[in-house]
């Protein structure tokens, strides 16, 4: 089943996360129409090769044109229109930068895999449960309902103002008519009756003015309560969910609903503002003692303006936090002189503001950073917000060509502060603009979450650890001095986030057994309570007992190994991975001979090994583990091929493959067959004539086990020896010479 077909069968809560992937970056229509072709292309390799990316983009347009031709024959006007529009958008956006679309599609496919993996995981942690509980909350529906009520009330006051205007016009006409009557006629009974009528009309005007102003004041109070008691809290919750999404959690949603409410309230306030202007016009034409308009209008206008200022300032947000296109799964880590992207959005969507708001980006503008390092932003740092670049017509702007550049520190600043670890320095990117609308001038400013600035890619792992710890442990949006005294986190929350690292970065999260092993690794003991507090130093600064590296360095090396060398095996669930030696032996003890499992090395960075069980003649179970394979060795030979071709040489010098069943009892070829790079080559012996002058060869991994050894077996590394060459050597060399060669120190290199 294709990945897209699996996506379409997800539960609604996960489909909502899928919907968040395909906003204005890449249309979901294209993903759906070209699903099979898209999944068959190597987009991940393409975003590092411009010619390949350009070819894929060209082929995508060809496929799209072919589909357009088919639907044209069906005369589906709406679909034809939409596809032409999408094609035009894609061409304008990516034609000059094909690497970008390769990166975008690669990220979309990876996010799909992460969501599929999350949906298949039976265990949810406290953070994800709280986020899912939010999705069904009543608060969102309450906000939308209250916003609609306020909008309806505003429309009713519009009718009241119109009625008041008509009533005053009638009064004005009658009053002027009386004024034009001669003095002698003014004492007639008819005139007295007319004067009484005018007084009644004036009383009605006074009553209606008071009623309208009272209704306006009530609407303003309701807007104030909704904004300060509910809407701002909802926005803060969204920002918290965005923090969690940045460190691998479920994608945040709900922004469109917030935009609808912000826009609805702003429109209502502007409408009441215009109604107050109309009342002022009526005041100029007619006023009297005790007139409520001059008494109440200034105060109402002041409150409305204050609410509009608050609404606009709150609605200016960072929709997509800064990230480097080369490392989309590691946002908020920026490297000097490498471009990064960030997207801003105004949640008050008014057509009058299209292309009228220019946003400026600066770094560390308001920060009294403790770092001696200073940065400036190079590239296009001023852009206008518009509704055209967004598929949903949102008022937004995306910065795509910003580069941080480090400035040389002056000598006077050096040594003033205790130097801080570079990867623990937090910096702030600020975005500011000014809105001029309907006589109001509103200055807006917002900042992204704290970013970590690195100058070398080797600093990326520790920088990412800082981003994880900050956004997990605090909901503060700007605390640049956080790592002066980093607060601890609960073990249950950290384990959940670590599982997210695997699901977001390598497409498959961790189960409860794997997380249990990580918990023991972090704490050095079996912990039953998820409330156990873990410190920053324990996570990222202190070496593991008896090791020369930290827990995070060990875990990050495993992530890198999976990503670059064993990703398909990990996604398919072939790798148990996180299991200690004691449990490993307990699992294999009662299994049939030849049963093996794959686990990550605990003593080496970025190593994977396999252990199998065998039985001696007296029925004793023996366990054998090969020396871990690292990325250097896996670059030379795929891991699946190693498992297929692996040989063990016993004392009788007969090579055999001991790996028969992947734990618990899956035949090896059934588990790994689809991952073999080729079928095993038939080994031929050299012919007399030597057709081409060469002996056919394949590389095979070989280990030698000495039965009389009392120590745990320590097999040799991968030997660059073909079966043909090995057979020839056996014919021409004595067993003692062969044994000496196999035990040579050079065999371990």
């Amino acid at each position: 089943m294709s990945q897209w077909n699996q996506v379409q069968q997800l539960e609604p809560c996960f489909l909502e996360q899928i919907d968040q992937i395909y906003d204005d970056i890449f249309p979901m229509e294209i993903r759906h129409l070209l699903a099979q072709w898209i999944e068959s292309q190597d987009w991940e390799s393409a975003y590092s090769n411009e010619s390949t990316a350009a070819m894929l983009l060209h082929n995508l347009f060809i496929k799209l044109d072919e589909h357009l031709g088919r639907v044209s024959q069906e005369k589906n006007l709406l679909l034809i229109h939409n596809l032409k529009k999408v094609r035009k958008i894609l061409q304008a956006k990516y034609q000059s930068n094909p690497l970008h679309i390769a990166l975008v599609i690669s990220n979309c496919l990876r996010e799909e895999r992460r969501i599929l993996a999350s949906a298949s995981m039976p265990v949810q942690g406290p953070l994800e449960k709280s986020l899912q509980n939010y999705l069904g909350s009543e608060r969102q529906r309450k906000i939308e309902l209250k916003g609609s009520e306020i909008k309806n009330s505003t429309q009713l006051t519009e009718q009241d103002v119109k009625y008041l205007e008509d009533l005053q016009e009638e009064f004005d006409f009658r009053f002027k008519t009386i004024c034009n009557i001669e003095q002698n006629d003014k004492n007639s009974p008819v005139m007295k009756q007319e004067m009484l009528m005018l007084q009644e009309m004036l009383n009605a005007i006074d009553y209606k003015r008071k009623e309208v102003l009272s209704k306006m004041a009530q609407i303003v109070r309701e807007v104030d309560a909704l904004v300060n008691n509910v809407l701002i809290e909802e926005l803060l919750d969204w920002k918290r969910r965005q923090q969690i999404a940045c460190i691998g959690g479920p994608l945040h949603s709900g922004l469109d609903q917030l935009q609808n409410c912000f826009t609805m309230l702003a429109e209502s306030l502007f409408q009441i503002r215009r109604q107050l202007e109309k009342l002022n016009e009526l005041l100029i034409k007619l006023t009297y003692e005790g007139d409520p308009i001059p008494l109440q209008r200034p105060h109402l206008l002041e409150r409305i303006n204050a609410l509009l200022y608050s609404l606009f300032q709150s609605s200016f947000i960072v929709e997509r936090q800064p990230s480097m296109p080369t490392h989309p799964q590691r946002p908020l880590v920026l490297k000097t002189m490498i471009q990064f992207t960030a997207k801003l959005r105004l949640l008050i969507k008014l057509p009058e503001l299209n292309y009228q708001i220019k946003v400026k980006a600066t770094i560390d503008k308001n920060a009294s950073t403790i770092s001696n390092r200073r940065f400036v932003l190079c590239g296009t740092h001023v852009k206008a917000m518009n509704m055209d670049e967004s598929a949903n017509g949102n008022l937004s702007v995306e910065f795509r060509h910003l580069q941080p550049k480090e400035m040389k520190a002056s000598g006077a600043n050096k040594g003033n502060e205790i130097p801080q670890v570079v990867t623990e320095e937090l910096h702030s990117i600020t975005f500011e603009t000014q809105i001029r609308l309907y006589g109001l001038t509103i200055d807006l400013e917002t900042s992204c979450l704290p970013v970590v600035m690195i100058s070398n890619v080797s600093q990326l792992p520790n920088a990412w650890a800082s981003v994880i710890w900050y956004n997990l442990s605090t909901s503060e949006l700007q605390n640049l001095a956080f790592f002066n005294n980093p607060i601890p986190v609960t073990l249950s929350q950290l384990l959940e986030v670590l599982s997210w690292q695997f699901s977001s970065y390598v497409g498959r999260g961790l189960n409860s057994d794997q997380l249990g092993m990580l918990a023991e690794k972090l704490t050095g003991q079996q912990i039953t309570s998820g409330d156990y507090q873990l410190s920053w130093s324990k996570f990222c600064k202190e070496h593991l007992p008896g090791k020369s590296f930290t827990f995070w360095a060990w875990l990050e090396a495993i992530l890198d190994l999976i990503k670059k060398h064993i990703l398909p095996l990990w996604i398919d669930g072939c790798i148990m991975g996180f299991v200690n030696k004691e449990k490993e032996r307990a699992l294999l003890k009662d299994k049939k001979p030849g049963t093996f499992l794959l686990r990550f090395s605990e003593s080496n960075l970025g190593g994977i090994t396999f252990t199998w069980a065998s039985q001696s003649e007296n029925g004793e179970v023996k366990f054998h583990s090969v020396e871990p394979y690292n990325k250097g060795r896996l670059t030379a030979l795929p891991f699946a091929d190693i498992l297929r071709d692996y040989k063990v040489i016993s004392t009788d010098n007969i090579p055999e493959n001991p790996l028969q069943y992947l734990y618990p009892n899956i035949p090896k070829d059934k588990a790994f067959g689809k991952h073999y790079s080729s079928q095993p080559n038939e080994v031929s012996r050299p012919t007399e004539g030597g057709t081409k002058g060469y002996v056919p060869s394949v590389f095979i991994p070989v280990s030698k086990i000495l039965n009389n050894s009392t120590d745990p077996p320590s097999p040799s590394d991968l030997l660059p020896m073909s079966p043909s060459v090995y057979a020839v050597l056996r014919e021409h060399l004595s067993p003692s010479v062969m044994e000496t060669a196999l035990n040579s120190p050079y065999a371990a290199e």
Side-chain angles (χ1 to χ4, degrees), residues 368-374 412-422 424-426 480-481 483-484 541:
S368 55
T369 176
I370 62 174
S371 168
N372 284 324
R373 298 193 303 160
R374 297 292 181 267
N413 291 334
K414 293 183 178 179
N416 291 341
E417 301 285 352
I418 299 175
Q420 190 174 25
V421 179
V422 167
E424 294 180 6
E425 291 178 5
L426 300 178
L480 303 187
F483 283 102
N484 287 348
K541 305 189 81 170

Side-chain angles (χ1 to χ4, degrees), residues 64-75:
L64 192 53
D65 290 338
E66 289 175 356
H67 201 87
L68 259 171
R70 286 194 293 271
V71 297
S72 297
Q73 295 176 0
E74 300 170 4
K75 298 182 180 180

Side-chain angles (χ1 to χ4, degrees), residues 472-488:
L472 171 61
S473 58
T474 180
S475 58
E476 291 184 81
L477 302 178
Q478 287 290 309
N479 181 4
L480 303 187
F482 174 83
F483 283 102
N484 287 348
N485 185 24
I487 60 179

